[in-house]
Amino acid sequence: MVDDWERVETGSPDLKRLQTARTVATAHEPLVSEATFDSPVDPQTLQLSMDAGIRAETGRFDVTWTGKGHYKYHYTEGEGFNYRYGRHPRADVSEKHFHEPPDASHDAVPSCIEVEVVPLVTLAVLQLWRDAVESGDLDRLQQPNPP
């Protein structure tokens, strides 16, 4: 999977925004079983372990927010199933975009998530995920009127 995040200047990780995402996720999504940072000394990514999955029994979100307000929510169930929502500069598609499952390796499409603040983006990502988990329908990850 190619990660276009690495090709642009997104800024440094923002611990306060990551902590906000963690607080919102653990307070509002009961299927978050664990919320940890990748490093206690220099956190770059928030890891949200999920007690359910879309194609597997469990999944994980790797969340990054930067001081410039850029983000990515990368969902994985291992090598076989990945997707992600992102907001960062792109020349070929909307700044807010979505890399579709099953492998998120193809070109991005515009994201249905229009909000830009940490709590609302986190809630939208988790609700879209939950809708897909409960229905088994991948189209629920990109709804015309997202939650």
Side-chain angles (χ1 to χ4, degrees), residues 24-87:
V24 169
T26 57
H28 295 283
E29 179 49 70
L31 292 174
V32 173
S33 61
E34 190 173 17
T36 59
F37 292 108
D38 60 334
S39 166
V41 177
D42 186 24
Q44 307 285 308
T45 303
L46 167 65
Q47 298 170 330
L48 300 173
S49 298
M50 311 304 284
D51 276 344
I54 298 170
R55 297 282 189 251
E57 290 187 25
T58 62
R60 185 185 77 235
F61 280 100
D62 294 330
V63 180
T64 304
W65 275 89
T66 73
K68 291 184 174 186
H70 299 300
Y71 64 78
K72 70 176 170 177
Y73 285 72
H74 174 201
Y75 179 76
T76 185
E77 291 177 1
E79 295 284 325
F81 189 80
N82 291 273
Y83 68 85
R84 72 181 180 276
Y85 298 94
R87 177 179 183 253

